[in-house]
Amino acid sequence: MTALDLSSPVAVVGTGTMGQGIAQVALVAGHPVRLYDAVPGRADAAAEAIGARLDRLVEKDRLTGADRDAARARLHAAGSLTDLADCVLVVEAVLEQLDVKQQLFRDLEDIVHEDCLLATNTSSLSVTAIGGALRNPGRLVGLHFFNPAPLLPLVEVVSGFATDVTSATRAYETARAWGKTPVACADTPGFIVNRIARPFYAEAFAVYEAQAADPATIDAILRESGGFRMGAFELTDLIGQDVNESVTHSVWQSFFQDVRFTPSLAQRRLVESGRLGRKTGHGWYDYGDDAERPEPHTAEKAQAPAYVVAEGDLGPASELLPLIREAGIQVREDEEDHGTRFVLPSGGQLVLADGQTSVEFRDVVYFDLALDYRKATRIALSASQDTVPQTLSEAIGLFQALGKDVSVIGDVPGMIVARTVARIVDLAHDAVAKGVATEEDIDTAMRLGVNYPLGPFEWSRRLGKDWSYDVLDELHLREPSGRFAPSLALYRHANASEKREGTP
C-alpha cells in the first residue's frame, strides 16, 4: 500500500493551530487542500493565515516564490462538509470531545467515497471509541501530529481496535511522503509519547512535593546532568499547566486510575490558582517584565579530596574514573566485593543513586545519574542529617574538581535523574510487551516527540539490563504504593540472560 497520490485533494476539518499546521504540511507536500470549520468565516481566515506563513517561508529562503504561489492556488476554504466529497483523506482537528468527533465522522461517512481515509488528530481520546460510531470503522486511523505540525517531524499513526491494516499503512506512508517521521502504535491511552513521558513530569513534581529541591534546581539537574532539553517545570510552563495536567489526568483515568500515572496535587493547585505558565504570565515561574528567574541551588566551593577508593563494579559511574584521574586526584581501586562505591578519605561513602536513602546508612552521600559525566555541567548530591559534614564536603569538592556545579538536594530515594530515567525505561518495556509499539518506534518517538537525549531502550542498553529494575525495586520497597513497582516486562528483561539451575 503506497502513499496517497499528491494530485488528490485532502481536507482538514477544524482550523485552529493544529488544523492549520496539518493543512500547511499537506499543502507544501503538493496536495490540493480544503479547509472546513463549523464556525462561519474561520476557514477563510485560516487560509489567509497559512498564506502568510508561506510568505514567511519565502522570506527565509525555505520556499520559492513559485512554489508559494502554486500552494496558494491549491488551498481553498470549504463552505460546507459536502465540498469535501471528492477528498481522499479527511483529517479532523476539532474539539477534544468524543461526541463531537463521532458526529463529524458520521456526517462525513454520508458524504465522502467509501475508499476515503478518515483520520483523527486526537491526543487524548480513544481512536477505537471515535471509530465505534462509524458504519465502517476500518478506515479510521489516528494521525497524531505534534505542535507546531510544520516543524516537528513526528507523527504517531494510531490503529484503533477495528482499523484495517491497509488504512494504517496508507496513513503511515502518506505521513512519510509528507516529509514526516511516522511511528506505528496501537490505540492505548497516551499512545507512545504521552504515555511514556509521564514520569518526566511526575518525578520532578514528586521531588518538589517532598521539599527535596525547588523547581529551578530540579530543572537545572534535568538539563545539566540528565541531558534533557528543558526541565519539567519550565517545559510545563511552556506547554500550559492546564494542558499538561489534562493529558496526565486523561491517561490516569484511561488506565483506571493506575497509580503509576497519578497526577500531581501541586500542579492541580497551580491550575486552580490560574497560574498556567507563560500564557498567563505566571506558572512555576514568574514571567512578568520585572521578574527575575530564580537560580538553582549551587554549593559553595569545597576542598577536593586527595584520593578516592573505587570499590566494586561502578556500573554507569565508572565513567567518572578517568575524569577523577585527569583532575589530579589519585584513584585507588579495590576490586574485592565490598559493594559498588567510592570511599572518601573521611571514611564516608559516595554512591550512585540506587533507590535507597542516605539515612539508612552510617555515612553515605548519593550522587545522581548523568547522561554523560564528562559533558555534564551539574551534579546533584543527597545526604541525610546523619551524614558526616566532612564526607559531604569532600563529595562536593570532588565533583567541583571535575568542573561541575554541585546541587545538594534532600534525601529522596532515586534522587532526580535516576528515578526519572528508570521509570521511563520501565514504561517503555511495558509498552513493547503489551504490543503498543516496537522498541525502535518508541525510541524514535521519544527523541523526536519530546526531544529526549536518548530513547528509553538506548538508555537501557547504556545503563545495563538490570540497572532500571534494581533502582525501581529499591524505590518500591521504600514506597510500596505500586508507583515504582517494576513491570513484569522489565523483570523479564533484567533476568532474561541469567542461567538458573534446578526447577521452580
Side-chain angles (χ1 to χ4, degrees):
M1 182 63 65
T2 58
L4 298 173
D5 191 288
L6 290 179
S7 65
S8 303
V10 167
V12 177
V13 179
T15 58
T17 300
M18 283 304 302
Q20 290 182 34
I22 295 167
Q24 181 179 328
V25 171
L27 189 66
V28 172
H31 285 277
V33 174
R34 314 249 176 89
L35 290 171
Y36 174 77
D37 198 291
V39 178
R42 281 192 179 173
D44 290 297
E48 288 297 320
I50 293 171
R53 283 198 289 273
L54 296 179
D55 290 339
R56 289 195 290 274
L57 291 178
V58 173
E59 293 170 2
K60 297 176 181 179
D61 292 326
R62 296 178 183 174
L63 192 69
T64 68
D67 287 341
R68 183 264 321 274
D69 295 341
R72 278 180 173 272
R74 294 193 303 270
L75 180 62
H76 300 282
S80 68
L81 283 179
T82 56
D83 293 339
L84 314 182
D86 63 337
C87 290
V88 295
L89 167 65
V90 180
V91 183
E92 70 79 15
V94 301
L95 292 174
E96 282 289 278
Q97 294 179 10
L98 181 60
D99 58 342
V100 173
K101 294 180 186 290
Q102 287 178 326
Q103 186 59 55
L104 170 63
F105 284 119
R106 276 196 294 261
D107 293 341
L108 285 168
E109 267 197 313
D110 295 330
I111 296 170
V112 299
H113 295 298
E114 290 185 1
D115 60 351
C116 175
L117 186 63
L118 301 178
T120 172
N121 184 56
T122 185
S123 60
S124 60
L125 299 176
S126 164
V127 174
T128 301
I130 295 170
L134 303 182
R135 295 190 299 273
N136 177 17
R139 62 171 164 171
L140 178 76
V141 64
L143 274 179
H144 182 218
F145 289 78
F146 288 75
N147 191 31
L151 297 180
L152 294 186
L154 184 69
V155 177
E156 292 177 318
V157 182
V158 186
S159 293
F161 187 77
T163 300
D164 291 334
V165 173
T166 53
S167 297
T169 303
R170 183 182 296 174
Y172 185 98
E173 294 300 332
T174 297
R176 184 155 61 179
W178 289 359
K180 296 301 180 182
T181 303
V183 292
C185 66
D187 183 25
T188 184
F191 308 141
I192 297 175
V193 172
N194 281 329
R195 172 178 178 153
I196 295 173
R198 293 351 290 165
F200 178 74
Y201 313 107
E203 296 314 314
F205 297 161
V207 171
Y208 167 75
E209 289 175 341
Q211 301 186 51
D214 60 276
T217 300
I218 296 170
D219 277 351
I221 292 165
L222 286 168
R223 289 193 313 269
E224 299 175 42
S225 183
F228 292 96
R229 187 76 58 87
M230 298 179 74
F233 296 89
E234 57 189 340
L235 180 55
T236 53
D237 268 357
L238 178 64
I239 295 168
Q241 298 302 330
D242 53 339
V243 174
N244 181 261
E245 193 212 25
S246 177
V247 172
T248 300
H249 196 271
S250 174
V251 172
W252 175 61
Q253 289 284 22
S254 297
F255 276 115
F256 307 104
Q257 300 186 356
D258 186 330
V259 69
R260 295 177 301 166
F261 302 102
T262 301
S264 162
L265 181 59
Q267 188 179 39
R268 174 92 290 266
R269 292 291 180 259
L270 204 65
V271 172
E272 289 174 338
S273 72
R275 294 185 172 185
L276 307 182
R278 289 181 179 270
K279 62 186 176 184
T280 61
H282 205 305
W284 295 110
Y285 300 110
D286 185 350
Y287 298 94
D289 293 337
D290 299 325
E292 293 185 8
R293 183 68 177 264
E295 294 293 325
H297 168 76
T298 303
E300 296 292 333
K301 185 68 177 176
Q303 181 68 40
Y307 69 90
V308 295
V309 179
E311 295 186 348
D313 178 6
L314 297 171
S318 62
E319 297 175 9
L320 287 169
L321 293 175
L323 303 183
I324 296 172
R325 292 189 177 99
E326 290 167 20
I329 299 172
Q330 182 185 7
V331 177
R332 305 171 184 173
E333 295 192 52
D334 183 350
E335 297 181 356
E336 293 188 19
D337 189 17
H338 299 300
T340 56
R341 62 198 178 190
F342 294 103
V343 179
L344 299 165
S346 65
Q349 301 173 36
L350 183 60
V351 182
L352 175 63
D354 59 5
Q356 301 183 80
T357 57
S358 292
V359 76
E360 301 170 51
F361 304 97
R362 185 184 64 82
D363 192 16
V364 167
V365 173
Y366 277 103
F367 64 96
D368 208 350
L369 179 70
L371 172 68
D372 183 325
Y373 281 105
R374 182 173 293 276
K375 295 180 180 178
T377 57
R378 182 177 299 272
I379 296 293
L381 302 180
S382 68
S384 75
Q385 66 272 20
D386 296 328
T387 302
V388 175
Q390 181 62 22
T391 298
L392 179 58
S393 179
E394 289 177 348
I396 292 171
L398 172 65
F399 283 104
Q400 288 175 338
L402 306 186
K404 318 299 183 186
D405 287 327
V406 176
S407 294
V408 180
I409 69 170
D411 188 22
V412 287
M415 301 191 69
I416 296 171
V417 180
R419 69 195 285 173
T420 299
V421 171
R423 287 207 59 216
I424 289 171
V425 168
D426 181 50
L427 289 185
H429 277 278
D430 186 53
V432 169
K434 292 177 178 173
V436 174
T438 65
E439 291 186 10
E440 181 180 5
D441 276 355
I442 287 175
D443 276 354
T444 298
M446 302 313 291
R447 280 188 283 102
L448 298 184
V450 278
N451 287 315
Y452 282 7
L454 292 174
F457 292 97
E458 293 173 312
W459 223 323
S460 182
R461 287 189 289 272
R462 176 182 288 196
L463 295 170
K465 68 182 184 65
D466 53 358
W467 184 87
S468 294
Y469 177 84
D470 289 345
V471 170
L472 292 177
D473 194 40
E474 294 289 355
L475 280 162
H476 180 56
L477 287 174
R478 286 152 185 81
E479 188 179 318
S481 64
R483 173 190 180 89
F484 297 107
S487 66
L488 179 58
L490 189 64
Y491 174 81
R492 287 171 171 160
H493 171 74
N495 292 279
S497 62
E498 292 186 5
K499 302 297 183 182
R500 302 181 185 277
E501 295 182 359
T503 58

